[in-house]
Amino acid sequence: MIDECLVVEFSVTGDDCPLAEATRETGATIDARPPQLRHDDYALLRFSAGAEADELADALDADERIRYLHVSRTDSRTNFRCLSKHPCVVHELTDAGFMAETLQYREGTERYTGAVVGHDVLQGVLSAAAETVGVSLERVFPLGSEDDEAVAQRWDVTPAQEVALRTAMEMGYFSVPRGATAAAVADELGISKSAFLERLRRGQATLFAQVFG
C-alpha cells in the first residue's frame, strides 16, 4: 500500500485544442471537468464559463473539431457539453498516472490540478510531461487530510471554489477590517477579479444552503 499521495499542478502553453483557442480568441475563462475519452478517439467535454459565454459558444460552434455542442444556463454560469475530435493533452499525463481533478483554460493557457500516488508514479508523470510540448510543472505538495475533503467535495463545492474560499480566508479577505482586497486574492489565484468574486459567491451560496438548509 502507498501511504503518500501528492497534489500536482501543471500549466500547458501553445496547445491548439478547441478550448484553448476559444479562450484565446474570446477572453473567456473555462472551468472544465477531466475529459472522457471514447474508443473512437472522441473526447466528451463538460465545462462552464461566466463572462463572454455567448462569444465562446459562437467560437466553439464554428470549430469543425467540435460536435454536438449543447449550451445551458444556470444563474451566472453557462454550461457546455460536446464531443471533440482533437486529442487532449491531459490524456498523455493520465496514461502515466496523473489523476486530474480540475482543468482551467484562460487566454489560451491551460492549468491542470490533480493527484499522483507515490513518487515513482510522479516520476513517470513528469517524464510524460517532459515529452509533451508546452507542459510544465507548477507545484507539487503532499496531499493532506484537508485536501482529501476537497477532492471528496464534502461540502459539494467545486475544487476551484474551495481553493478560492480557502485562499481568501488565509489572506484575511473575510477579516474585519479586511486583510486583503479581492484583487489581491485574485492575483494570488492567477485569475481575474470578476472570476474570483464569482467563485466566492457561488461557493458561499452552496455552503450557506447546506448549513442553513
Side-chain angles (χ1 to χ4, degrees):
M1 181 180 294
I2 301 295
D3 293 328
E4 186 172 32
C5 193
L6 304 168
V7 178
V8 184
E9 293 181 1
F10 291 99
S11 66
V12 181
T13 57
D15 190 12
D16 60 350
C17 79
L19 298 190
E21 288 191 350
T23 61
R24 191 181 298 116
E25 176 183 338
T26 64
T29 297
I30 292 175
D31 292 306
R33 297 184 182 183
Q36 300 175 2
L37 186 63
R38 305 197 320 182
H39 287 300
D40 59 4
D41 291 332
Y42 272 100
L44 297 168
L45 304 183
R46 292 179 294 169
F47 51 96
S48 65
E52 291 83 29
D54 290 337
E55 293 87 344
L56 179 64
D58 291 340
L60 292 172
D61 198 36
D63 194 318
E64 295 182 353
R65 297 168 294 178
I66 295 295
R67 296 287 185 273
Y68 304 109
L69 178 67
H70 179 267
V71 182
S72 62
R73 290 176 173 80
T74 56
D75 299 327
S76 59
R77 300 293 289 179
T78 301
N79 302 309
F80 299 81
R81 293 174 175 83
C82 65
L83 294 179
S84 172
K85 190 63 174 177
H86 190 281
C88 296
V89 172
V90 72
H91 287 139
E92 302 292 331
L93 305 180
T94 301
D95 288 343
F98 177 64
M99 295 176 283
E101 294 286 343
T102 62
L103 290 76
Q104 185 182 81
Y105 299 77
R106 182 168 180 251
E107 297 179 352
T109 298
E110 302 158 48
R111 181 175 290 271
Y112 305 154
T113 302
V116 297
V117 181
H119 282 277
D120 290 342
V121 176
L122 175 61
Q123 291 303 316
V125 172
L126 293 179
S127 296
E131 296 172 0
T132 306
V133 176
V135 179
S136 60
L137 178 67
E138 292 292 323
R139 283 203 306 165
V140 56
F141 54 93
L143 181 73
S145 58
E146 69 276 6
D147 298 307
D148 263 328
E149 292 184 357
V151 173
Q153 293 186 18
R154 174 182 176 185
W155 294 103
D156 202 29
V157 297
T158 68
Q161 290 167 4
E162 201 233 357
V163 169
L165 287 163
R166 187 185 298 277
T167 303
M169 183 181 66
E170 292 174 349
M171 293 182 65
Y173 179 79
F174 299 113
S175 301
V176 180
R178 288 196 193 279
T181 64
V185 180
D187 286 343
E188 178 68 20
L189 294 169
I191 60 178
S192 67
K193 178 181 175 181
S194 60
F196 161 66
L197 290 174
E198 183 172 345
R199 291 181 190 181
L200 194 66
R201 285 193 292 269
R202 292 176 67 84
Q204 287 175 316
T206 299
L207 289 173
F208 292 162
Q210 292 177 75
V211 171
F212 297 112

